[in-house]
Amino acid sequence: MTTKPPASPPTVTPIVQLANVGMTFHPETPNATVALNNIDLTMAPGEFVSLIGPSGCGKSTLLRLIGDLLTPTSGEIRVAGKSARQARLDQEYGMVFQAPVLLEWRTIVKNVMLPMELRGASRTDQRARAQQLLEMVELNGFERHYPWQLSGGMQQRAAIARALAIHPQLLLMDEPFGALDEMTRERMNLELHRIWKQTGTSVIFVTHSIAEAVFLSTRIVVMSARPGAILHIANVTLPRDRDITTREHPNFFALETEVREWLRKAKGYEGAT
Amino acid sequence: MKKQLVQNLPALVLFVAVLLLWEGAVWALSIQRFLLPAPSVIVEAFTSNLARLTHIGWFTTKEALGGFAIGCTAGIVVALATARWTTANETLMPFAIAANSVPIIAFAPILNNWFGVDNPFSKMMIVAVIVFFPMMINTVRGLTSVDPAMLELMRSYAAGELEILRKVRLPNALPYMFNAFKVAATLSMIGAVVSEYFGGNRSALGVFITQEAAQFRFQNAWAAIIIACIIGIAFYGIVLLAEQLFIPWHSSLRQENR
């Protein structure tokens, strides 16, 4: 696998840098809604950061701002050392949504090839890379299937393969396993962890599940209710390699409790606006 | 194949039963031939005139196909424009809706005057105008009713409008367009035959039907209607086949036991 040349030493360029980012929907109208306030966050390459917070706290909005699918009303966002817009145009990140969002008229392999097609890669390169990715997400043998022929978990694995197709430095994931049952979800967590280690890509992961956040992350960002702000950042003091025994690690329960207590405080913020 | 036969058996039985009832009623009640010829008489007229019937049938089919092609192409082109530019949408849509509420067949004599009674083009234009609206409105719906998450996905890959059109909007519109093709296939045959009732080439199906009816040779008129039915069903069947070929992925065509 080819990787992008490392940023010039000695200072490593942060993969994501948020400075005083704010987002107001419908500004200067009676319906103006402040979704995010004063978000500061710096993320080093290779980190796995989870965003967790009450519903409507702007986690998904923040993810879309980083992906330049929305434009912030204040502050600055830099992705891989570039403006968020330039990073999007250069296809620096891959995105995974809550729904798999596979194109139903394309077979699985063609779906995975889509981002490479848009980049103008050669047909043989596209095929080879897609094959490699489908093996990584354990979907080999399903290349010629259509999305509807696959289960929800398999469809989401295909979506992850598609997001990784262009070797992104950053993976933006918006509750990717929210629609899956608990068993599938835990298996997908293990797989995502393996993929994260294997590719070395940085991940921003929006979730509602405390256990999922603790299991996967290197850091967990706890956000307050609207207007969303960063309440607390928990450093996950677990070994970098996670496996099925991680959930029984002595620190696991303590971390869950730490996040849960901050989430409880997040609720209290609701009256502040 | 056998399963299909069993599935279609009730319809087949009903068809044969109706024919037998018709035949029996005509003989038993001695219904006069100019009112309702017996099926056997119609079949006789059909087989003895087969060469002429296929000739005039093909003439009208060409008109229907020509009109279908012109109308569908125009519908798709206008749909692409309205889906792409809101100004085009706002300018054209009121006219398209107004045009749809006009009984287009009423224009047949006028178009005959414009292009010439004998000219197949006058019939093609009628057919084209009739199929235009269902084609356009369905295509617009298909192009615009795209899952917003798909557009977000394409944007995340920095895809341009043209790429989104080619890779998302058009494939998304195909099932809608095939529904329109099915409607247009039936409408185009009806449009061609009915517009020929207002005069046309002597070797046209509609002209043949009116002339035979005027001379009380109703069994021949019936035989011509059978040809029109066969052509209409064949046209529809071809669209169905094309649909299976082009959008096998669509939910209406999935074979669950694959």
Side-chain angles (χ1 to χ4, degrees):
Chain A
M1 254 188 281
T2 56
T3 42
K4 299 226 156 56
S8 54
T11 49
V12 181
T13 314
I15 183 71
V16 175
Q17 212 171 0
L18 306 174
N20 199 22
V21 170
M23 180 68 190
T24 305
F25 287 106
H26 320 291
E28 289 158 38
T29 70
N31 295 331
T33 318
V34 183
L36 292 168
N37 241 341
N38 295 329
I39 305 283
D40 287 298
L41 184 69
T42 304
M43 189 177 158
E47 268 200 279
F48 193 120
V49 172
S50 285
L51 304 178
I52 196 165
S55 298
C57 74
K59 311 181 286 282
S60 295
T61 303
L62 186 57
L63 203 71
R64 278 168 176 73
L65 288 172
I66 296 166
D68 188 45
L69 299 173
L70 290 171
T71 312
T73 38
S74 64
E76 206 201 349
I77 300 175
R78 295 193 76 76
V79 176
K82 311 165 183 180
S83 70
R85 181 179 151 73
Q86 195 56 47
R88 177 173 66 84
L89 295 179
D90 293 349
Q91 299 188 342
E92 294 291 0
Y93 71 85
M95 185 130 186
V96 180
F97 301 87
Q98 181 167 11
V101 201
L102 298 169
L103 308 185
E104 61 166 334
W105 46 88
R106 283 176 172 241
T107 56
I108 294 302
V109 70
K110 286 272 174 73
N111 262 292
V112 175
M113 283 158 68
L114 175 75
M116 297 180 268
E117 253 176 63
L118 292 168
R119 234 189 197 189
S122 85
R123 205 82 176 153
T124 41
D125 285 359
Q126 287 180 26
R127 285 240 171 239
R129 174 72 179 147
Q131 197 57 49
Q132 185 189 2
L133 284 160
L134 286 174
E135 265 158 45
M136 186 198 274
V137 298
E138 286 163 8
L139 278 179
N140 36 324
F142 293 96
E143 294 84 353
R144 292 181 180 284
H145 284 62
Y146 283 98
W148 62 270
Q149 293 171 303
L150 269 56
S151 70
M154 290 162 95
Q155 289 188 24
Q156 200 55 290
R157 288 213 295 262
I160 293 170
R162 176 180 61 191
L164 291 168
I166 42 170
H167 302 283
Q169 303 188 53
L170 176 65
L171 209 50
L172 301 175
M173 306 183 90
D174 190 6
E175 289 185 58
F177 309 138
L180 303 179
D181 63 85
E182 196 60 32
M183 302 257 289
T184 315
R185 190 175 188 148
E186 285 194 8
R187 215 178 53 236
M188 294 294 289
N189 284 347
L190 275 167
E191 281 192 43
L192 178 59
H193 177 71
R194 178 177 55 79
I195 290 165
W196 171 65
K197 274 192 308 185
Q198 211 170 322
T199 57
T201 180
S202 319
V203 181
I204 302 185
F205 188 88
V206 170
T207 181
H208 271 122
S209 158
I210 299 171
E212 190 173 66
V214 174
F215 181 79
L216 287 168
S217 314
T218 55
R219 281 197 293 167
I220 302 169
V221 173
V222 184
M223 292 175 68
S224 68
R226 186 179 297 144
I230 295 178
L231 266 187
H232 176 69
I233 298 178
N235 282 308
V236 178
T237 49
L238 289 170
R240 196 174 167 89
D241 286 356
R242 317 278 162 89
D243 55 36
I244 38 171
T245 63
T246 301
R247 286 173 205 273
E248 290 141 33
H249 194 279
N251 288 0
F252 196 90
F253 180 70
L255 281 159
E256 275 192 320
T257 310
E258 179 185 346
V259 172
R260 188 169 293 115
E261 278 176 359
W262 278 100
L263 275 173
R264 205 169 294 146
K265 288 178 195 164
K267 292 281 184 194
Y269 261 61
E270 270 173 335
T273 49
Chain B
M1 194 65 206
K2 200 181 164 193
K3 202 177 146 198
Q4 238 179 357
L5 198 78
V6 173
Q7 252 177 9
N8 294 329
L9 200 63
L12 211 68
V13 169
L14 181 69
F15 181 69
V16 173
V18 168
L19 282 185
L20 286 175
L21 205 69
W22 178 354
E23 184 82 34
V26 170
W27 295 122
L29 306 171
S30 56
I31 295 171
Q32 287 195 301
R33 197 173 262 204
F34 68 88
L35 284 177
L36 185 67
S40 59
V41 175
I42 296 170
V43 170
E44 211 281 315
F46 184 79
T47 47
S48 58
N49 287 310
L50 196 57
R52 174 145 179 78
L53 286 171
T54 45
H55 177 248
I56 59 175
W58 176 236
F59 186 89
T60 300
T61 304
K62 282 189 286 188
E63 290 176 349
L65 285 176
F68 179 88
I70 297 168
C72 289
T73 308
I76 293 167
V77 168
V78 173
L80 284 170
T82 53
R84 177 67 185 83
W85 297 289
T86 37
T87 38
N89 187 18
E90 282 154 12
T91 317
L92 294 170
M93 206 49 103
F95 288 101
I97 291 165
N100 186 47
S101 54
V102 171
I104 289 136
I105 206 76
F107 282 95
I110 295 167
L111 285 170
N112 279 346
N113 182 37
W114 286 356
F115 299 106
V117 175
D118 265 3
N119 190 347
F121 194 68
S122 62
K123 315 302 183 280
M124 283 185 201
M125 284 317 289
I126 291 281
V127 173
V129 176
I130 290 175
V131 302
F132 170 81
F133 189 77
M135 194 66 228
M136 188 207 68
I137 209 80
N138 275 292
T139 309
V140 167
R141 194 156 297 152
L143 290 171
T144 50
S145 64
V146 175
D147 178 1
M150 275 184 194
L151 297 178
E152 220 172 22
L153 177 83
M154 293 302 278
R155 245 173 75 75
S156 83
Y157 290 125
E161 273 300 321
L162 200 69
E163 281 167 323
I164 293 176
L165 178 72
R166 271 181 43 219
K167 294 187 193 297
V168 178
R169 290 191 190 276
L170 274 177
N172 190 70
L174 277 179
Y176 295 82
M177 288 164 73
F178 269 103
N179 274 337
F181 285 141
K182 283 184 231 168
V183 174
T186 326
L187 282 180
S188 63
M189 203 54 205
I190 296 171
V193 172
V194 174
S195 61
E196 284 163 358
Y197 286 170
F198 297 91
N201 194 296
R202 276 163 45 89
S203 48
L205 206 49
V207 176
F208 179 82
I209 292 172
T210 45
Q211 279 177 357
E212 293 303 296
Q215 290 167 47
F216 293 95
R217 289 194 291 265
F218 281 101
Q219 70 277 25
N220 287 352
W222 278 93
I225 290 167
I226 292 177
I227 271 284
C229 288
I230 292 170
I231 295 165
I233 291 168
F235 198 177
Y236 189 81
I238 288 166
V239 175
L240 281 186
L241 274 178
E243 185 180 38
Q244 271 165 16
L245 210 66
F246 280 99
I247 52 167
W249 46 267
H250 191 245
S251 54
S252 62
L253 299 169
R254 284 169 193 168
Q255 289 157 21
E256 295 298 338
N257 50 3
R258 217 176 312 185

